[in-house]
């Protein structure tokens, strides 16, 4: 999922990229391969994940990266700081999605890109743990939420792959990557 999201970052060389919820950041080698002259900033709510990411990034000394913590609400960045933002598998936990999209919009430069990666509603609904603390989105609802928050949907990439679940069993999963552009009008229909 993460590699596909990175592949959809259709941005110029030497861009400033923000990732929301980077986890352990083991995908940074791939990020650097694809966007070697770009600067990566990771934003996380979990101190343990931030620390793991910092430790992992030390293995990639050529990577220009930094990792910040936040409260899950306000991003600690100036307006129009980033060329692109991406988030993989974490919209389910945004307590106030409208506010998070407003923050993404605020920190993106004009015509900045957002790539949002999510498991399909049907796949996520089939998982035993998503009844607890997850907010799941059907495709149409998520697309409407993006438009409502001034993002123009450019492309939706739907991918089915095989993975191994935490019990060691094979599972088919479907995920979607939404490639969007920031728009500055008040309503994007």
């Amino acid at each position: 999922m993460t590699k596909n999201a990175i592949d959809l970052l259709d941005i110029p060389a030497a861009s400033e990229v923000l990732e929301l919820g980077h986890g352990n950041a083991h995908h940074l080698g791939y990020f650097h391969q694809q966007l070697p002259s770009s600067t990566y900033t990771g934003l996380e709510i979990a101190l343990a994940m931030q620390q793991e990411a910092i430790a992992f990034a030390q293995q990639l000394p050529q990577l220009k990266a930094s990792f910040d913590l936040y409260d899950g609400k306000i991003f600690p960045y100036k307006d129009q700081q980033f060329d692109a933002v991406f988030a993989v598998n974490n919209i389910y936990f945004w307590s106030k999605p409208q506010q998070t999209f407003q923050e993404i919009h605020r920190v993106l430069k004009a015509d900045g890109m957002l790539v949002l990666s999510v498991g399909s509603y049907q796949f996520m609904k089939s998982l035993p743990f998503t009844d607890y603390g997850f907010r799941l989105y059907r495709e149409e609802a998520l697309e409407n939420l993006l438009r409502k928050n001034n993002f123009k949907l450019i492309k939706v990439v739907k991918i089915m792959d095989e993975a191994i679940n935490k019990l060691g069993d094979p599972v088919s999963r479907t995920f979607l990557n939404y490639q969007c552009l920031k728009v500055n009008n008040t309503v994007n229909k």
Side-chain angles (χ1 to χ4, degrees):
M1 286 179 84
T2 304
K3 287 180 179 179
N4 188 260
I6 292 168
D7 290 343
L8 287 173
L9 292 173
D10 185 17
I11 52 179
S15 292
E16 297 279 337
V17 179
L18 172 65
E19 180 181 13
L20 297 181
H22 54 70
N24 65 21
H26 285 189
H27 54 279
L28 287 181
Y30 186 80
F31 175 89
H32 184 65
Q33 270 183 327
Q34 302 307 111
L35 301 163
S37 58
S38 290
T39 300
Y40 172 93
T41 301
L43 185 60
E44 182 62 68
I45 61 171
L47 177 61
M49 291 293 97
Q50 181 201 36
Q51 291 171 341
E52 279 192 45
I54 290 168
F56 181 77
Q58 290 173 353
Q59 300 172 37
L60 303 166
Q62 69 284 14
L63 176 69
K64 295 173 281 194
S66 62
F67 303 91
D68 299 311
L69 286 173
Y70 81 124
D71 62 3
K73 296 178 181 109
I74 305 298
F75 296 2
Y77 307 113
K78 63 183 180 179
D79 293 356
Q80 298 187 35
Q81 183 171 337
F82 297 98
D83 299 289
V85 174
F86 73 107
V88 178
N89 264 343
N90 59 40
I91 189 174
Y92 326 114
F93 309 111
W94 296 355
S95 61
K96 296 183 178 179
Q98 183 96 11
Q99 182 179 356
T100 302
F101 278 119
Q102 288 171 357
E103 280 297 283
I104 292 169
H105 197 275
R106 180 184 67 77
V107 301
L108 273 174
K109 294 177 182 176
D111 297 321
M113 176 162 289
L114 167 64
V115 175
L116 185 63
S117 185
V118 299
S120 71
Y121 178 83
Q122 290 302 331
F123 170 69
M124 295 299 290
K125 193 73 178 154
S126 74
L127 299 172
F129 51 83
T130 58
D131 288 338
Y132 308 98
F134 283 69
R135 178 181 291 161
L136 303 181
Y137 295 89
R138 294 185 187 274
E139 288 178 52
E140 183 178 312
L142 186 50
E143 291 172 15
N144 286 336
L145 188 59
L146 286 162
R147 281 191 285 278
K148 181 179 177 182
N149 286 285
N150 297 314
F151 289 97
K152 179 181 178 185
L153 191 56
I154 303 301
K155 182 190 303 185
V156 179
V157 177
K158 185 183 272 190
I159 296 176
M160 179 180 265
D161 71 357
E162 298 294 319
I164 302 297
N165 68 18
K166 293 186 183 208
L167 299 173
D169 300 322
V171 62
S172 293
R173 67 178 178 165
T174 302
F175 63 91
L176 301 107
N177 279 329
Y178 294 85
Q179 182 189 52
C180 312
L181 286 178
K182 171 184 174 176
V183 292
N184 292 314
N185 57 341
T186 55
V187 177
N188 178 23
K189 299 193 178 202

